[in-house]
């Protein structure tokens, strides 16, 4: 049984499912963030409050943390095993054609992880009371952060890198779950590309628009 | 066509436990008509005549069906031309004066036996774990006794042409054997004769693949790009589906 639960293929299934959950969560998060663009803090703070308190959302939040932890843990575990599978490398760099960004998933994923840590410090830890701030007014927390040029640049870089991760992630998850054939896969690749552009661009324009409005 | 002069940088290693190194050979008079394997045989002939040790490499059929001639040539398993094994790779694809770097497959599961020759018995172990059907099916049956969809039989045939050369493992950044295993699983999964044992087969072959120390699949597609038999990545999706069905 253990052989099945922890086989290379099963680990990838779990990773893909957790990753898909994160892929669904991102547009929801983006939808809420776009409320920042309204002049009035109420809708955004209400949405943030709703996300923090509504019981069903609580369940989803637990799932979300689980998904993040499982995705990262399995990602690292698989990566280490994969590195160990080739203890002696080639002296000429491998020139085999590969799908773009697929070789850098550990690095793009790792960068996203660093952003996530910063992100938790900025927001989630306020909610937990670890970091000082008003959990009922994330609107102003966000505006303060977007006032720091260095933060915004970091934010943009992180979303660019996230885009790289997402482009391979979406199509890869379908392949891992066996949902791939001659007919669908070309379409899935186009959707991956659109998704990987739309999500980062959506997040990245928020500080830009805020600056322009000011 | 004119004969060529080549500089060959070839990995030499006495056995699995010793340290290897590159040795450079200058080889004159290579005909563009030769295959890569013939070119190496020609090199060895010269080395032996000089009293030097020849380069050890594996080859057998010289027609792209036995899978033994794999080597990593200038950064490509089986060389830079798609859909060819090393034995079918013609020297006309190389330029006069070119430097060619030749290395053995690199994977924990494929230890070097000597020079360019690696031990691919990890593939045999995977095959023995489930790559068969355990009933005697006899001689080729009358074509219509067991109906098989044309599409399925075509896909099964495409999967069955895998020659077990290991180029997929050699090309993969994870040294993953998923393309090989997916071909071996697919050729049975697509045909009615393979269905009764489909679940045990996929479970056992994956378990053996893990045990042999191959990496997992990151869906980069390097295997498909380098496979001399052009086994498709869709087979890996099918392998994953078969595995889900067997859980
Ligand atoms: C919002 C954040 C993230 C999303 C939406 C996401 C999504 C995905 C998805 C869907 C896959 C494809 C899984 C598959 O091939 O079956 C994937 C692969 C991967 N992710 Fe993430 N991921 C995120 C963050 C991270 C983080 C923080 C890491 C940290 C290490 C990470 C590491 C990886 C790695 C290494 C792979 C490739 C695994 C492989 O194919 O071997 N990801 N990601
Ligand atoms: S899948 Fe292709 S590259 Fe891999 S062993 Fe079979 S023939 Fe060789
Ligand atoms: S020698 Fe048989 S495939 Fe090349």
């Amino acid at each position: 049984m253990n052989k099945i639960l922890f086989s290379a293929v099963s680990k990838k299934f779990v990773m893909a499912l957790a990753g898909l959950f994160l892929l669904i969560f991102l547009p929801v998060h983006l939808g809420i963030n776009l409320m920042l663009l309204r002049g009035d803090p109420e809708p955004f703070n209400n949405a943030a409050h709703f996300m923090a308190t509504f019981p069903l959302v609580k369940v989803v939040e637990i799932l979300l943390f689980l998904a993040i932890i499982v995705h990262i843990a399995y990602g690292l575990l698989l990566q280490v095993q994969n590195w160990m599978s080739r203890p002696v490398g080639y002296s000429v760099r491998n020139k085999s054609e590969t799908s773009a960004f697929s070789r850098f998933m550990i690095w793009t994923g790792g960068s996203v992880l660093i952003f996530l840590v910063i992100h938790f410090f900025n927001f989630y830890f306020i909610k937990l009371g670890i970091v000082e701030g008003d959990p009922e007014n994330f609107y102003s927390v966000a505006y303060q952060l977007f006032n720091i040029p260095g933060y915004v640049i970091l934010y943009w870089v992180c979303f660019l890198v996230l885009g790289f991760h997402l482009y391979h992630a979406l199509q890869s998850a379908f392949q891992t779950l066996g949902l791939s054939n001659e007919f669908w896969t070309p379409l899935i690749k186009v959707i991956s590309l659109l998704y990987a552009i739309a999500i980062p661009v959506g997040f990245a324009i928020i500080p830009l628009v805020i600056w322009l409005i000011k | 066509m004119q004969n060529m002069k080549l500089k060959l940088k070839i990995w030499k290693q006495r056995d699995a436990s010793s340290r290897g190194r590159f040795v450079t050979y200058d080889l004159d008079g290579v005909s563009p008509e030769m295959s890569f394997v013939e070119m190496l045989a020609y090199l060895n002939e010269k080395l032996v005549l000089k009293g030097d040790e020849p380069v050890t490499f594996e080859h057998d059929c010289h027609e792209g069906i036995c899978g033994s001639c794999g080597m990593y040539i200038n950064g490509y398993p089986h060389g830079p031309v798609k859909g060819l094994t090393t034995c079918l790779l013609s020297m006309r694809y190389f330029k006069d004066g070119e430097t060619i770097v030749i290395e053995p497959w690199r994977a924990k599961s494929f230890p070097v036996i000597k020079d360019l020759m690696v031990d691919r018995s990890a593939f045999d172990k995977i095959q023995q774990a489930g790559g068969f059907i355990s009933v005697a099916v006899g001689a080729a049956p009358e074509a219509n006794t067991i109906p098989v969809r044309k599409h399925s039989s075509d896909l099964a045939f495409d999967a069955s042409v895998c020659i077990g050369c290991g180029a997929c493992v050699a090309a993969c950044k994870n040294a993953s054997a998923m393309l090989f295993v997916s071909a071996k699983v697919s050729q049975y999964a697509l045909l009615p004769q393979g269905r009764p044992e489909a679940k045990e087969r996929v479970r056992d072959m994956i378990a053996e693949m893990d045990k042999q120390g191959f990496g997992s699949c990151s869906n980069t597609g390097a295997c498909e790009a380098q496979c001399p038999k052009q086994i498709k990545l869709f087979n890996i999706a099918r392998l994953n589906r078969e595995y889900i069905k067997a859980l």
Side-chain angles (χ1 to χ4, degrees):
Chain A
M1 198 60 213
N2 270 358
K3 261 197 219 147
I4 295 177
L5 273 181
F6 296 105
S7 77
V9 178
S10 304
K11 272 185 266 185
K12 286 266 352 206
F13 287 155
V14 174
M15 227 191 137
L17 287 173
L20 272 182
F21 187 83
L22 299 178
L23 290 178
I24 296 167
F25 173 73
L26 277 174
V28 177
H29 194 319
L30 175 59
I32 295 171
N33 280 24
L34 286 171
M35 293 182 191
L36 281 170
L37 294 180
R38 305 224 197 147
D40 170 14
E42 276 301 297
F44 178 80
N45 281 340
N46 284 345
H49 179 80
F50 175 78
M51 291 305 266
T53 51
F54 191 68
L56 190 67
V57 177
K58 273 274 163 219
V59 176
V60 177
E61 186 180 291
I62 293 167
L63 283 178
L64 181 66
F65 276 104
L66 217 65
I68 293 177
I69 290 167
V70 166
H71 185 79
I72 294 172
Y74 271 28
L76 292 175
L77 184 65
L78 283 169
Q79 187 60 63
V80 170
Q81 287 174 333
N82 290 341
W83 278 328
M84 290 190 334
S85 299
R86 175 165 294 130
V88 182
Y90 294 108
S91 67
V92 178
R93 193 180 53 86
N94 192 336
K95 301 195 193 85
S96 310
E97 217 176 277
T98 52
S99 106
F101 306 113
S102 63
R103 278 171 297 147
F104 315 115
M105 293 302 273
I106 189 65
W107 308 113
T108 51
S111 313
V112 173
L113 177 61
I114 294 171
F115 177 76
L116 277 179
V117 172
I118 298 172
H119 190 58
F120 279 130
F121 264 98
N122 288 336
F123 292 91
Y124 197 73
F125 288 179
I126 294 182
K127 206 162 88 182
L128 296 185
I130 302 173
V131 173
E132 224 170 288
D134 180 4
E136 290 301 317
N137 198 356
F138 277 168
Y139 185 90
S140 75
V141 177
Y143 267 73
Q144 276 162 20
L145 284 171
F146 286 153
N147 255 328
I148 310 167
Y151 178 83
V152 174
I153 289 167
L154 177 79
Y155 190 76
W156 282 339
V157 171
C158 287
F159 275 104
L160 180 70
V161 174
L162 177 68
F164 296 161
H165 195 80
L166 298 179
Y167 177 50
H168 180 68
L170 195 101
Q171 60 194 56
S172 181
F174 275 85
Q175 168 81 2
T176 299
L177 296 173
L179 305 169
S180 154
N181 62 29
E182 294 89 332
F183 181 69
W184 286 111
T185 303
L187 187 69
I188 291 168
K189 287 190 177 169
V190 174
I191 295 173
S192 303
L193 182 63
L194 294 177
Y195 180 92
I197 294 173
I199 296 287
V201 167
F203 279 99
I205 54 167
I206 295 172
L208 198 67
V209 172
I210 288 175
W211 280 4
L212 291 180
I213 290 174
K214 253 193 342 190
Chain B
M1 267 198 280
Q2 226 185 326
N3 281 357
M4 304 186 286
K5 190 175 171 169
L6 299 171
K7 190 183 275 298
L8 303 169
K9 268 183 78 180
I10 301 179
W11 185 259
K12 293 282 291 172
Q13 181 173 338
R14 188 132 47 105
D15 53 41
S17 53
S18 27
R19 283 175 64 113
R21 68 196 167 91
F22 279 103
V23 175
T24 307
Y25 302 94
D26 288 303
L27 188 60
D28 218 341
V30 176
S31 157
E33 318 268 298
M34 287 178 182
S35 73
F36 203 88
V37 160
E38 283 165 347
M39 181 275 292
L40 287 175
Y42 173 62
L43 167 73
N44 277 350
E45 204 175 276
K46 290 201 158 188
L47 290 176
V48 170
L49 284 176
K50 269 203 305 185
D52 285 346
E53 198 202 55
V55 175
T56 300
F57 65 100
E58 211 184 342
H59 61 112
D60 184 14
C61 71
H62 291 211
E63 56 179 2
I65 56 168
C66 75
S68 65
C69 60
M71 54 191 88
Y72 184 88
I73 303 164
N74 279 350
Y76 296 98
H78 288 302
V81 185
K82 277 201 179 199
L84 293 183
T85 50
T86 305
C87 59
L88 294 182
L89 176 67
S90 162
M91 291 314 294
R92 95 178 85 94
Y93 293 112
F94 296 88
K95 287 192 292 287
D96 187 25
E98 191 169 341
T99 300
I100 305 176
V101 185
I102 313 169
E103 299 170 69
W105 284 174
R106 295 294 190 190
K108 184 171 81 185
S109 321
F110 288 165
V112 172
I113 295 173
K114 190 169 175 13
D115 300 348
L116 300 173
M117 187 185 195
V118 300
D119 181 357
R120 282 175 297 123
S121 48
F123 268 12
D124 301 336
K125 300 269 170 48
I126 295 175
Q127 194 63 334
Q128 285 155 11
F132 51 81
I133 46 179
S134 30
V135 289
V137 288
E142 201 278 314
N144 293 323
T145 32
I146 305 175
V148 180
R149 281 171 63 215
K150 171 84 169 71
H151 187 58
S152 307
S153 85
D154 285 350
L155 291 176
F157 180 78
D158 289 349
S160 74
V161 299
C162 162
I163 54 177
C165 64
C168 42
V169 175
C172 176
K173 73 174 176 67
N174 307 337
S176 168
M178 286 288 277
L179 194 66
F180 166 77
V181 177
S182 77
K184 297 301 169 198
V185 163
S186 289
Q187 73 184 36
Y188 296 110
L190 284 157
L191 296 177
Q193 291 90 335
R195 289 315 307 173
E197 291 164 298
K199 289 187 178 176
E200 299 95 296
R201 176 178 305 113
V202 69
R203 268 190 239 139
D204 294 347
M205 288 180 85
I206 296 275
E208 190 63 31
M209 176 187 91
D210 285 346
K211 194 176 140 202
Q212 293 297 327
F214 293 102
S216 63
C217 180
S218 295
N219 303 322
T220 72
C223 52
E224 182 186 53
Q226 292 309 135
C227 171
K229 298 291 142 183
Q230 310 202 297
I231 302 290
K232 294 274 165 277
L233 273 189
F234 298 124
N235 288 297
I236 297 184
R238 181 178 305 103
L239 170 67
N240 291 341
R241 281 200 295 281
E242 288 292 321
Y243 198 68
I244 293 175
K245 281 194 248 165
L247 286 181

Short mmCIF file of all heavy atoms in Angstrom, two decimals, chain A residues 12 15-16 19-20 22-23 26 71-72 75-76 78-79 82 105-106 109-110 112-113 116 162 165-166 168-170 172-173 176 195, chain B residues 173-174 216-219, ligand 1:
data_model
loop_
_atom_site.label_atom_id
_atom_site.label_comp_id
_atom_site.label_asym_id
_atom_site.label_seq_id
_atom_site.Cartn_x
_atom_site.Cartn_y
_atom_site.Cartn_z
N LYS A 12 3.14 12.89 -7.62
CA LYS A 12 2.81 13.91 -8.61
C LYS A 12 1.31 14.17 -8.69
O LYS A 12 0.89 15.30 -8.90
CB LYS A 12 3.39 13.54 -9.98
CG LYS A 12 4.86 13.71 -10.08
CD LYS A 12 5.42 15.01 -10.63
CE LYS A 12 4.53 16.04 -11.22
NZ LYS A 12 5.20 16.87 -12.20
N MET A 15 0.53 16.42 -5.81
CA MET A 15 1.07 17.73 -6.12
C MET A 15 0.22 18.48 -7.13
O MET A 15 -0.03 19.67 -7.01
CB MET A 15 2.45 17.55 -6.72
CG MET A 15 3.44 18.45 -6.11
SD MET A 15 4.92 18.40 -7.06
CE MET A 15 5.24 20.13 -7.06
N ALA A 16 -0.22 17.74 -8.15
CA ALA A 16 -1.03 18.36 -9.20
C ALA A 16 -2.38 18.79 -8.64
O ALA A 16 -2.86 19.88 -8.95
CB ALA A 16 -1.21 17.39 -10.36
N GLY A 19 -1.81 21.77 -6.53
CA GLY A 19 -1.49 22.89 -7.43
C GLY A 19 -2.73 23.41 -8.13
O GLY A 19 -2.92 24.62 -8.24
N LEU A 20 -3.61 22.49 -8.56
CA LEU A 20 -4.84 22.92 -9.24
C LEU A 20 -5.72 23.73 -8.30
O LEU A 20 -6.33 24.72 -8.69
CB LEU A 20 -5.63 21.70 -9.73
CG LEU A 20 -5.29 21.17 -11.11
CD1 LEU A 20 -6.19 20.00 -11.46
CD2 LEU A 20 -5.42 22.25 -12.18
N LEU A 22 -4.65 25.59 -5.92
CA LEU A 22 -4.04 26.93 -5.87
C LEU A 22 -4.34 27.71 -7.15
O LEU A 22 -4.56 28.93 -7.10
CB LEU A 22 -2.52 26.82 -5.68
CG LEU A 22 -2.05 26.13 -4.40
CD1 LEU A 22 -0.54 26.04 -4.35
CD2 LEU A 22 -2.56 26.86 -3.17
N LEU A 23 -4.39 27.02 -8.26
CA LEU A 23 -4.70 27.69 -9.53
C LEU A 23 -6.12 28.25 -9.53
O LEU A 23 -6.39 29.27 -10.16
CB LEU A 23 -4.54 26.73 -10.71
CG LEU A 23 -3.13 26.28 -11.09
CD1 LEU A 23 -3.18 25.30 -12.25
CD2 LEU A 23 -2.26 27.47 -11.46
N LEU A 26 -6.20 31.45 -7.04
CA LEU A 26 -5.58 32.70 -7.50
C LEU A 26 -6.57 33.69 -8.12
O LEU A 26 -6.57 34.87 -7.76
CB LEU A 26 -4.43 32.42 -8.46
CG LEU A 26 -3.08 32.08 -7.81
CD1 LEU A 26 -2.06 31.69 -8.88
CD2 LEU A 26 -2.55 33.26 -7.01
N HIS A 71 1.91 20.92 -1.51
CA HIS A 71 2.54 21.21 -2.80
C HIS A 71 4.04 21.48 -2.63
O HIS A 71 4.87 20.95 -3.36
CB HIS A 71 1.85 22.41 -3.45
CG HIS A 71 2.33 22.74 -4.83
ND1 HIS A 71 1.93 22.03 -5.93
CD2 HIS A 71 3.20 23.68 -5.29
CE1 HIS A 71 2.51 22.53 -7.01
NE2 HIS A 71 3.29 23.53 -6.66
N ILE A 72 4.36 22.28 -1.63
CA ILE A 72 5.77 22.64 -1.42
C ILE A 72 6.55 21.42 -0.94
O ILE A 72 7.63 21.11 -1.45
CB ILE A 72 5.89 23.81 -0.43
CG1 ILE A 72 5.28 25.07 -1.07
CG2 ILE A 72 7.35 24.05 -0.05
CD1 ILE A 72 5.18 26.23 -0.12
N GLY A 75 6.91 19.01 -3.69
CA GLY A 75 7.76 19.61 -4.72
C GLY A 75 9.23 19.46 -4.35
O GLY A 75 10.06 19.04 -5.16
N LEU A 76 9.54 19.78 -3.09
CA LEU A 76 10.94 19.69 -2.64
C LEU A 76 11.40 18.23 -2.61
O LEU A 76 12.49 17.91 -3.08
CB LEU A 76 11.09 20.32 -1.25
CG LEU A 76 10.91 21.84 -1.20
CD1 LEU A 76 10.95 22.33 0.25
CD2 LEU A 76 11.97 22.53 -2.03
N LEU A 78 10.29 15.61 -4.30
CA LEU A 78 10.48 15.07 -5.65
C LEU A 78 11.75 15.63 -6.28
O LEU A 78 12.50 14.93 -6.93
CB LEU A 78 9.28 15.39 -6.54
CG LEU A 78 8.04 14.54 -6.31
CD1 LEU A 78 6.84 15.13 -7.04
CD2 LEU A 78 8.27 13.11 -6.77
N GLN A 79 11.97 16.93 -6.04
CA GLN A 79 13.13 17.56 -6.64
C GLN A 79 14.42 16.93 -6.13
O GLN A 79 15.32 16.64 -6.91
CB GLN A 79 13.11 19.06 -6.33
CG GLN A 79 14.18 19.83 -7.05
CD GLN A 79 14.07 19.71 -8.56
OE1 GLN A 79 13.10 20.13 -9.15
NE2 GLN A 79 15.06 19.10 -9.19
N ASN A 82 14.81 13.64 -7.66
CA ASN A 82 15.18 13.77 -9.06
C ASN A 82 16.66 14.12 -9.23
O ASN A 82 17.32 13.63 -10.13
CB ASN A 82 14.31 14.83 -9.75
CG ASN A 82 12.88 14.36 -9.91
OD1 ASN A 82 12.61 13.16 -9.84
ND2 ASN A 82 11.97 15.28 -10.12
N MET A 105 11.00 24.87 -12.62
CA MET A 105 9.88 24.91 -11.68
C MET A 105 10.33 25.04 -10.23
O MET A 105 9.71 25.75 -9.45
CB MET A 105 8.99 23.67 -11.84
CG MET A 105 8.26 23.62 -13.16
SD MET A 105 7.22 25.05 -13.45
CE MET A 105 5.71 24.53 -12.63
N ILE A 106 11.43 24.38 -9.88
CA ILE A 106 11.87 24.47 -8.48
C ILE A 106 12.33 25.88 -8.17
O ILE A 106 12.12 26.39 -7.06
CB ILE A 106 12.96 23.41 -8.16
CG1 ILE A 106 13.26 23.36 -6.67
CG2 ILE A 106 14.26 23.68 -8.93
CD1 ILE A 106 12.12 22.89 -5.83
N GLY A 109 9.14 28.19 -8.37
CA GLY A 109 8.34 27.84 -7.19
C GLY A 109 9.01 28.36 -5.92
O GLY A 109 8.36 28.94 -5.05
N GLY A 110 10.32 28.20 -5.82
CA GLY A 110 11.05 28.67 -4.65
C GLY A 110 10.93 30.18 -4.48
O GLY A 110 10.76 30.68 -3.35
N VAL A 112 8.44 32.01 -5.55
CA VAL A 112 7.07 32.26 -5.10
C VAL A 112 6.96 32.01 -3.60
O VAL A 112 6.30 32.75 -2.88
CB VAL A 112 6.07 31.38 -5.88
CG1 VAL A 112 4.67 31.51 -5.30
CG2 VAL A 112 6.06 31.75 -7.36
N LEU A 113 7.66 31.00 -3.14
CA LEU A 113 7.64 30.69 -1.71
C LEU A 113 8.19 31.86 -0.89
O LEU A 113 7.62 32.23 0.14
CB LEU A 113 8.47 29.42 -1.45
CG LEU A 113 8.60 29.01 0.01
CD1 LEU A 113 7.24 28.71 0.60
CD2 LEU A 113 9.50 27.78 0.14
N LEU A 116 5.61 34.39 -0.72
CA LEU A 116 4.53 33.97 0.18
C LEU A 116 4.88 34.30 1.64
O LEU A 116 4.04 34.77 2.40
CB LEU A 116 4.27 32.47 0.04
CG LEU A 116 3.37 32.04 -1.11
CD1 LEU A 116 3.24 30.52 -1.14
CD2 LEU A 116 2.00 32.68 -0.98
N LEU A 162 6.02 34.18 -10.97
CA LEU A 162 4.83 33.34 -10.78
C LEU A 162 4.23 32.97 -12.13
O LEU A 162 3.82 31.82 -12.35
CB LEU A 162 3.79 34.06 -9.91
CG LEU A 162 2.47 33.29 -9.72
CD1 LEU A 162 2.70 32.04 -8.87
CD2 LEU A 162 1.39 34.15 -9.09
N HIS A 165 5.96 30.11 -13.54
CA HIS A 165 5.57 28.87 -12.86
C HIS A 165 4.21 28.40 -13.38
O HIS A 165 4.02 27.24 -13.70
CB HIS A 165 5.51 29.12 -11.35
CG HIS A 165 5.48 27.88 -10.51
ND1 HIS A 165 6.62 27.15 -10.23
CD2 HIS A 165 4.47 27.22 -9.92
CE1 HIS A 165 6.30 26.11 -9.49
NE2 HIS A 165 4.99 26.11 -9.27
N LEU A 166 3.28 29.36 -13.48
CA LEU A 166 1.91 29.01 -13.85
C LEU A 166 1.82 28.47 -15.28
O LEU A 166 1.01 27.58 -15.56
CB LEU A 166 1.00 30.23 -13.71
CG LEU A 166 0.88 30.82 -12.31
CD1 LEU A 166 -0.03 32.03 -12.32
CD2 LEU A 166 0.36 29.77 -11.33
N HIS A 168 3.83 26.62 -17.02
CA HIS A 168 4.05 25.17 -17.10
C HIS A 168 3.08 24.43 -16.18
O HIS A 168 2.65 23.32 -16.48
CB HIS A 168 5.48 24.80 -16.74
CG HIS A 168 5.73 23.32 -16.82
ND1 HIS A 168 5.73 22.63 -18.01
CD2 HIS A 168 5.94 22.38 -15.87
CE1 HIS A 168 5.94 21.34 -17.78
NE2 HIS A 168 6.07 21.16 -16.49
N ALA A 169 2.75 25.05 -15.03
CA ALA A 169 1.97 24.37 -14.00
C ALA A 169 0.63 23.85 -14.52
O ALA A 169 0.29 22.69 -14.34
CB ALA A 169 1.74 25.31 -12.82
N LEU A 170 -0.10 24.71 -15.20
CA LEU A 170 -1.45 24.33 -15.62
C LEU A 170 -1.43 23.15 -16.59
O LEU A 170 -2.10 22.15 -16.39
CB LEU A 170 -2.15 25.53 -16.25
CG LEU A 170 -3.65 25.36 -16.39
CD1 LEU A 170 -4.36 26.11 -15.28
CD2 LEU A 170 -4.17 25.87 -17.71
N SER A 172 0.97 21.07 -17.10
CA SER A 172 1.61 19.93 -16.46
C SER A 172 0.62 19.18 -15.57
O SER A 172 0.61 17.94 -15.54
CB SER A 172 2.80 20.42 -15.64
OG SER A 172 3.46 19.36 -15.04
N ALA A 173 -0.21 19.93 -14.85
CA ALA A 173 -1.17 19.28 -13.96
C ALA A 173 -2.14 18.41 -14.76
O ALA A 173 -2.48 17.30 -14.36
CB ALA A 173 -1.93 20.33 -13.15
N THR A 176 -0.28 15.29 -15.77
CA THR A 176 -0.07 14.42 -14.62
C THR A 176 -1.35 13.67 -14.26
O THR A 176 -1.31 12.49 -13.91
CB THR A 176 0.40 15.26 -13.40
OG1 THR A 176 1.63 15.87 -13.75
CG2 THR A 176 0.58 14.39 -12.17
N TYR A 195 -3.78 32.10 -19.05
CA TYR A 195 -3.89 32.15 -17.58
C TYR A 195 -2.62 32.76 -16.99
O TYR A 195 -2.68 33.63 -16.12
CB TYR A 195 -4.13 30.73 -17.06
CG TYR A 195 -4.25 30.65 -15.56
CD1 TYR A 195 -5.49 30.73 -14.93
CD2 TYR A 195 -3.13 30.45 -14.76
CE1 TYR A 195 -5.60 30.65 -13.55
CE2 TYR A 195 -3.22 30.36 -13.39
CZ TYR A 195 -4.47 30.45 -12.79
OH TYR A 195 -4.57 30.37 -11.43
N LYS B 173 15.89 15.53 -17.33
CA LYS B 173 16.65 16.18 -16.26
C LYS B 173 16.51 15.41 -14.95
O LYS B 173 17.32 15.57 -14.05
CB LYS B 173 16.20 17.63 -16.07
CG LYS B 173 14.84 17.80 -15.41
CD LYS B 173 14.56 19.28 -15.13
CE LYS B 173 13.18 19.50 -14.56
NZ LYS B 173 12.96 18.95 -13.22
N ASN B 174 15.48 14.60 -14.84
CA ASN B 174 15.26 13.79 -13.63
C ASN B 174 15.70 12.35 -13.81
O ASN B 174 15.44 11.53 -12.94
CB ASN B 174 13.78 13.78 -13.25
CG ASN B 174 13.20 15.17 -13.14
OD1 ASN B 174 13.91 16.13 -12.92
ND2 ASN B 174 11.88 15.26 -13.27
N SER B 216 11.14 11.18 -11.12
CA SER B 216 9.72 11.31 -11.47
C SER B 216 9.58 12.20 -12.71
O SER B 216 10.56 12.76 -13.18
CB SER B 216 8.95 11.90 -10.31
OG SER B 216 9.43 13.20 -10.05
N CYS B 217 8.36 12.33 -13.20
CA CYS B 217 8.14 13.06 -14.44
C CYS B 217 7.76 14.51 -14.17
O CYS B 217 6.82 14.79 -13.45
CB CYS B 217 7.02 12.40 -15.24
SG CYS B 217 6.66 13.24 -16.78
N SER B 218 8.52 15.46 -14.73
CA SER B 218 8.18 16.88 -14.62
C SER B 218 7.51 17.39 -15.89
O SER B 218 7.36 18.59 -16.06
CB SER B 218 9.44 17.71 -14.35
OG SER B 218 9.98 17.40 -13.10
N ASN B 219 7.15 16.50 -16.78
CA ASN B 219 6.49 16.88 -18.03
C ASN B 219 7.27 17.92 -18.82
O ASN B 219 6.68 18.86 -19.35
CB ASN B 219 5.07 17.39 -17.73
CG ASN B 219 4.24 16.37 -16.98
OD1 ASN B 219 4.35 15.17 -17.24
ND2 ASN B 219 3.46 16.81 -16.02
C1 LIG C 1 0.40 30.10 -6.03
C2 LIG C 1 1.37 29.31 -6.01
C3 LIG C 1 1.55 28.04 -6.83
C4 LIG C 1 0.73 27.44 -7.76
C5 LIG C 1 -0.61 27.91 -8.26
C6 LIG C 1 1.42 26.25 -8.21
C7 LIG C 1 0.92 25.34 -9.12
C8 LIG C 1 1.61 24.27 -9.61
C9 LIG C 1 1.08 23.25 -10.47
C10 LIG C 1 -0.36 23.15 -10.93
C11 LIG C 1 2.09 22.41 -10.80
C12 LIG C 1 2.02 21.24 -11.74
C13 LIG C 1 1.98 19.94 -11.01
C14 LIG C 1 2.19 18.81 -11.96
O1 LIG C 1 3.10 18.82 -12.77
O2 LIG C 1 1.43 17.86 -11.92
C15 LIG C 1 3.27 22.88 -10.13
C16 LIG C 1 4.51 22.28 -10.21
C17 LIG C 1 5.55 22.58 -9.36
N1 LIG C 1 5.53 23.49 -8.31
FE1 LIG C 1 4.10 24.82 -7.96
N2 LIG C 1 2.61 26.15 -7.56
C18 LIG C 1 2.72 27.21 -6.70
C19 LIG C 1 3.73 27.46 -5.80
C20 LIG C 1 4.84 26.67 -5.65
C21 LIG C 1 5.81 26.84 -4.61
C22 LIG C 1 5.75 27.88 -3.49
C23 LIG C 1 6.76 25.91 -4.79
C24 LIG C 1 7.92 25.78 -3.86
C25 LIG C 1 8.87 25.01 -3.86
C26 LIG C 1 6.40 25.15 -5.98
C27 LIG C 1 7.13 24.13 -6.56
C28 LIG C 1 6.76 23.41 -7.68
C29 LIG C 1 7.60 22.45 -8.36
C30 LIG C 1 9.02 22.06 -7.98
C31 LIG C 1 6.84 21.93 -9.42
C32 LIG C 1 7.29 20.92 -10.45
C33 LIG C 1 7.14 19.53 -9.94
C34 LIG C 1 7.59 18.53 -10.96
O3 LIG C 1 7.01 18.48 -12.04
O4 LIG C 1 8.52 17.79 -10.68
N3 LIG C 1 5.20 25.63 -6.47
N4 LIG C 1 2.95 24.01 -9.39
#
